Amino acid sequence: MVSRRSVLLTLAATAFATGDLQVFAAGRRPDPIKMFDTDNDGTLDLAETKKAASALFAKLDRDHDGTLDRRELGGRLSARELAAADPDHDGTLTLDEYLAVVEQRFNAADPDKDGTLDAKELKSRAGRALLRLLE
């Protein structure tokens, strides 16, 4: 009978030998810097953040009407946050309105005001709030 431990050890040895450690990362949340850092500088700037947010907006806009309603937002914004981000009070966010919220959250997550977010800043409460609009 093969034990669970021996199976895991075999998988670990194979992954280590082949350099394929993604097997063990499957249960973890992906690293947002690796996902969105297009210039590979180890941080996220506002342009990279808005690019990721735009891609998510397009994915969430299931009815392709150019707006996100409460249902499409899927809990990324509370009712109060949605109302505050919706200047025309139509109950939806356009891409520009969504990106305005992203920019506000980016600025809140950047306490040193250097224009970039590192891993530590993304782990803050403000950083996690921003990531909800990107992932």
Side-chain angles (χ1 to χ4, degrees), residues 35-55:
M35 288 174 57
F36 307 128
D37 180 20
T38 57
D39 63 6
N40 297 311
D41 68 351
T43 65
L44 297 182
D45 61 33
L46 184 57
E48 291 166 328
T49 303
K50 284 186 171 185
K51 181 178 178 182
S54 295

Side-chain angles (χ1 to χ4, degrees), residues 63-81:
D63 60 6
H64 307 290
D65 68 350
T67 65
L68 298 180
D69 59 28
R70 184 180 54 82
R71 183 185 49 79
E72 289 171 316
L73 283 165
R76 286 175 174 81
L77 294 175
S78 70
R80 186 177 55 174
E81 291 168 329

